[in-house]
Amino acid sequence: MTDLNIAVLGAGVVGVTTAVELQKRFRHAKIEILAEHVYEDTTSYVAAGVFRPGTSFCGPTQEITQKWINDSYTYWDEIRRSPEGARAGVTELSGYIFSSQHSQAVRNRYIEKLCPVYRAATEKELKLCPGNWKYGSFFTTVLTQSSYYIPWAINKFKSNNGKIIQKKIESLQEVGSYDVVVNCTGLGSRFLCNDYQVVPIRGQVIKVKAPWIKTFFYGDLDTYVLPGIDLVTLGGCRQYESWDLSVNKYDSLKIKDQCEALVPSLKGAEVISHKVGLRPHRGIVRVEKEILNTDSKKIKIVHNYGHGGYGVTTAPGTSLYACELVQEILSGNSKL
Ligand SMILES: Cc1cc2nc3c(=O)[nH]c(=O)nc-3n(C[C@H](O)[C@H](O)[C@H](O)COP(=O)(O)OP(=O)(O)OC[C@H]3O[C@@H](n4cnc5c(N)ncnc54)[C@H](O)[C@@H]3O)c2cc1C
């Protein structure tokens, strides 16, 4: 009962959420997180964390994808409503998405029925921001700021006897001594699993102090103004297969110009930092079991990676699903 050993690889939002959920399910197991980077060195810290899955976000089936999204919303919203909500960095947020080009840009098949409010913007609202906005939606959703959530989740994990080991895993064979390994290494899975379907989509943002911004705004050309718990995130860009982690001054200028054009009151807001992250994109997010046959033993693995630009949004849904797969892969194991 007590000597089940589980390793979670990765300490981003997906890894820590998975680890905390595994502790609930396998209460007597010894669970360790092994990660090369932790806290602010993960991609998860760059994200604004708005719950808004892109309409191209994709699991193995439409049904499973929608389940991941629904389960995630419920998960975040339960934390938000709990006394822990503020400490966990989960809050409710409303705002607008505008497009001057296409009505589809302001629709979202995944969340129109899920969020408490998702409606067309009125003619008056279309004039809220400068620009020739033809289409718009207003919606209410949740935001999870990783710089609060990850430390909160890690504290919870540690207080339940979880252990974090900071190290780079060079190959899955290295972790063969665990009963099961849950792989939440995001972009790292490209190398760890030789999975070339995982590609970076580079993003850059500016974090500014603008406490008067209480509403989010999305515009054309990846422009967004997203108020978080203490800072506002201005974005952005999506550069496919770019590995460049340095801050690009031309991207910064473009982001600043576009965001100030959308929300002019941002002019003069104090810039706190510029951040770059590589979104771990995979056409189909991989949450599945694998038995790896090595010379000495069979390694039981459950993968949970490839969330692209929507990992904060969807981490709970895929993590709960991964926990089910852990249960399945271990079933028949006398240690259960
Ligand atoms: C600019 C930008 C804005 C974003 N905005 C949003 C948003 O508003 N909403 C949203 O939902 N998502 C957003 N995202 C996407 C989100 O950040 C990612 O989907 C999410 O962080 C992925 O989480 P993860 O845990 O899979 O990966 P990561 O946070 O990258 O964590 C991966 C972990 O695995 C570890 N690892 C990797 N390889 C190895 C190895 N070989 N050995 C040991 N450890 C390893 C890493 O060190 C790290 O601990 C945004 C991303 C960017 C870049």
Side-chain angles (χ1 to χ4, degrees), residues 52 96-107 118 121 125-127 129-138 217-223 262:
R52 180 180 161 257
Y96 295 92
I97 176 161
F98 294 129
S99 175
S100 59
Q101 285 156 7
H102 208 291
S103 59
Q104 277 303 303
V106 303
R107 303 294 305 268
Y118 201 112
E125 287 171 324
L126 286 176
K127 296 190 171 61
C129 295
N132 182 25
W133 304 113
K134 289 202 184 85
Y135 312 98
S137 296
F138 173 86
F217 296 94
Y218 288 92
D220 291 330
L221 304 171
D222 272 320
T223 305
L262 184 65

Side-chain angles (χ1 to χ4, degrees), residues 136-168:
S137 296
F138 173 86
F139 62 103
T140 298
T141 185
V142 287
L143 172 136
T144 303
Q145 191 168 312
S146 291
S147 60
Y148 284 74
Y149 171 71
I150 289 181
W152 175 81
I154 287 180
N155 279 345
K156 230 167 118 158
F157 175 70
K158 284 183 175 167
S159 66
N160 285 319
N161 297 319
K163 200 171 155 199
I164 300 209
I165 300 164
Q166 196 168 352
K167 70 181 281 200
K168 180 172 184 179

Side-chain angles (χ1 to χ4, degrees), residues 179-285:
D179 295 294
V180 62
V181 176
V182 190
N183 172 29
C184 308
T185 55
L187 197 55
S189 293
R190 181 179 168 96
F191 311 102
L192 216 44
C193 309
N194 291 325
D195 182 349
Y196 297 104
Q197 291 183 60
V198 188
V199 288
I201 300 182
R202 181 183 177 278
Q204 183 169 321
V205 292
I206 310 175
K207 305 267 179 185
V208 302
K209 213 178 232 177
W212 58 92
I213 308 277
K214 305 285 185 205
T215 308
F216 64 74
F217 296 94
Y218 288 92
D220 291 330
L221 304 171
D222 272 320
T223 305
Y224 51 81
V225 174
L226 309 173
I229 306 290
D230 32 32
L231 298 175
V232 180
T233 301
L234 312 184
C237 57
R238 273 165 211 274
Q239 295 156 357
Y240 198 79
E241 285 205 77
S242 167
W243 292 88
D244 186 3
L245 273 169
S246 59
V247 173
N248 180 299
K249 67 176 179 187
Y250 301 106
D251 287 338
S252 299
L253 286 171
K254 181 188 101 102
I255 291 167
K256 189 171 177 297
D257 276 2
Q258 289 183 180
C259 290
E260 288 179 358
L262 184 65
V263 181
S265 73
L266 283 167
K267 281 182 192 140
E270 186 189 348
V271 173
I272 302 300
S273 59
H274 296 262
K275 301 260 179 211
V276 177
L278 305 179
R279 302 172 179 94
H281 173 76
R282 192 175 190 271
I284 297 177
V285 181

Side-chain angles (χ1 to χ4, degrees), residues 10-14 36-37 43-44 47 49-50 167 169 185 188 308-313:
V13 65
V14 176
E36 182 181 9
H37 301 292
T43 309
S44 301
V50 173
K167 70 181 281 200
I169 304 300
T185 55
Y310 313 105
V312 181
T313 298

